[in-house]
Amino acid sequence: MRNLRNLRFGRWRHPDITAACWDPETDEIVCAIGPTEQNPTIELVRLSDSDSITHRTFARWDAPSPNPDLLVDRIVSLFHLSGSGTTCLVLEGGDIITVREDPSAGHVHIEIMGSIDAGIAAARWSPDEELLAVVTKADTVVFMGGAFDPVAEVTMTEEDLKASKHVSVGWGKKETQFQGRGAKALRDPTIPEKVDQGLPSPNEDGLVSISWRGDGAYVAINSVQEGSRRVIRVYSREGELDSASEPVDGFEGALSWRPSGNLIAGIQRLSDRVDVVFFERNGLRHGQFTLR
C-alpha cells in the first residue's frame, strides 16, 4: 500500500467495542460499546484526537434482545448521517434506532424509527446517504429512504440465480473432453479446466454483506441462497435485480465494490491458497490474485 500514509496514531481501548464509524463533520470517531451477555446496554462514545485521544460518552440505553432465540442483540450497522447530525444504528433483533445530539441544549434524543420482526442480517447506507439497504432474516431486501419509509422491497429466491450470465456447457467434465494424445495442445485456452459449482467454503459462516457502488446507483449483496450456493446479487437503487454472480467454489462472505464501479471484489478460499476474486457488474468473473 505505497499510496497510503499514516496521518496520526492514537490508541483507546475498551473490551466491549462492537462497532465504529466516522463523523466527518467533527472529525471524530463514534464507537459503540455493547450490548454483551453480561451487560445488555448500548453506549455511544466519541473519540477525538488533539494532542492525545480523549473520549466522551454521549448516549446510553438498555438494549435487551427482543427475540428469545437471540441471546444478545448485535449491531449490524453503525453510521453517522452527516447531513442531519444523526447516528443510525441497525440491530440484528430488528430495531432501527437514531441518536440525535443537540449540543446547545445539552441533551440527546434516542428514537426507534422502525422494527423488522423477522430480524436483520445486514444493513448499509448508500454513499449519498439517501437510501438504507436492509437485508432481513426472511431473505428480503428493503430499501428505505432518509425518513426510513420503505421505498422498495424484494424477496431473494433461488429464481434469482437464473439472472446469472454464466453459461456452463460441460467443458469442465471429463466425459465431454477429448482425452487422447495431444489433447492439451488442442484444448481451447479460453475454456477453464474446471467449472465451479459453488461448493461452500470450509469457513462458511452464513453472514450477509452489502457494498454500494461509488455513485450509489447499484448495490451488491453477498448471501447464501439456501439449498444452493453463495451468490452476489446486484440491485438498482429502485430495487430491481440487475444480475447474479456465477458459481465460485469456496466463495466467502467478504465483499467490496471498487469506488470507480467497474469491479466487485470477494474472497475465494481453496485448499492450498486464498484468492481475491473479481466480478463485473453482470456477475461474471474478471480475474483474481493470490494472497501471499
Side-chain angles (χ1 to χ4, degrees), residues 125-161:
W125 283 92
S126 62
D128 57 11
E129 301 182 2
E130 293 183 358
L131 279 179
L132 173 64
V134 177
V135 180
T136 74
K137 292 187 176 182
D139 290 333
T140 60
V141 184
V142 182
F143 292 86
M144 297 183 179
F148 299 96
D149 51 318
V151 175
E153 181 174 345
V154 293
T155 301
M156 297 187 295
T157 67
E158 195 167 353
E159 288 293 310
D160 297 343
L161 275 59

Side-chain angles (χ1 to χ4, degrees), residues 20-79:
C21 68
W22 194 269
D23 179 356
E25 290 183 320
T26 61
D27 198 27
E28 294 178 339
I29 297 174
V30 177
C31 291
I33 299 173
T36 64
E37 187 174 350
Q38 294 75 24
N39 185 17
T41 63
I42 295 177
E43 179 181 348
L44 294 185
V45 179
R46 281 189 172 274
L47 303 181
S48 58
D49 179 19
S50 50
D51 296 329
S52 61
I53 296 290
T54 60
H55 67 279
R56 172 178 62 87
T57 298
F58 66 92
R60 178 184 293 165
W61 68 94
D62 292 333
S65 172
N67 189 335
D69 297 328
L70 185 64
L71 182 61
V72 180
D73 214 344
R74 179 176 66 93
I75 298 174
V76 299
S77 174
L78 174 66
F79 189 80

